[in-house]
Amino acid sequence: MTPGARPPLDSTYFKRMAAIEFAVKFDDGMGSGLREADIVLVGVSRTSKTPLSMYLGYLGYKTANVPIVKGIEPPAALFEIDPLKVVGLTIDAARLAEIREQRARRLGGNNRRYAQLVAIYDELEAAEAVHRRLGCPVIEISELSIEETAARVIRLIEQRRAAGATATTA
């Protein structure tokens, strides 16, 4: 609690920095880090995958995220990794349209379909199909902060790992 004091450069600090770097490196399905990830987030564009990955990295979890894009098959590695570390993210279609409209205006883009409700429903259905194939839990993030979503993700991952460990020892 000293002004200007730096956090200690201990193993926790270095673990946190490595996890944040991991989240940056494996953002939006980039690279092949799904196997090394502690957590893999899967959802459509604008479901807070990137900021959530960064926050989970800050908490020390190596997090990768994979976007679901209608008409584009997710990477095969997504279906080959430990399913206990995969969490789906979804959002209310109207809320997603609102977020995307604001983003499109800011970016001055011409892609009207990106924020169109009918297209969003199609995307969310495609994501739901992928989530079912993965057998992963899904968190509805429409009204959640990043911190609340992170707490739910961590709780799900830890519960699933504990249940998995119990099942293998029984």
Side-chain angles (χ1 to χ4, degrees), residues 32-129:
S32 56
L34 297 181
R35 288 191 205 302
E36 294 81 36
D38 298 321
I39 299 171
V40 177
L41 304 172
V42 181
V44 300
S45 172
R46 314 304 336 143
T47 51
S48 300
K49 294 181 307 297
T50 297
L52 182 57
S53 295
M54 299 303 158
Y55 184 71
L56 288 165
Y58 174 77
L59 297 177
Y61 294 90
K62 293 188 299 182
T63 308
N65 71 74
V66 178
I68 301 300
V69 180
K70 187 176 185 283
I72 299 175
E73 186 64 20
L78 181 60
F79 301 94
E80 298 164 359
I81 60 172
D82 180 359
L84 298 180
K85 64 182 175 181
V86 179
V87 176
L89 300 175
T90 194
I91 187 170
D92 175 72
R95 176 72 181 122
L96 183 55
E98 185 181 306
I99 292 167
R100 287 183 174 184
E101 284 170 12
Q102 290 173 1
R103 183 167 195 252
R105 274 196 298 269
R106 268 194 327 270
L107 297 176
N110 247 355
N111 190 354
R112 294 177 205 268
R113 185 158 171 73
Y114 179 68
Q116 208 172 42
L117 202 52
V118 172
I120 287 172
Y121 280 122
D122 288 344
E123 275 187 73
L124 290 171
E125 286 174 10
E128 186 178 351

Side-chain angles (χ1 to χ4, degrees), residues 6-20 57-58 60:
R6 295 181 148 247
L9 297 179
D10 58 9
S11 63
T12 303
Y13 172 82
F14 289 109
K15 179 182 178 188
R16 175 182 296 152
M17 291 304 108
I20 292 170
Y58 174 77

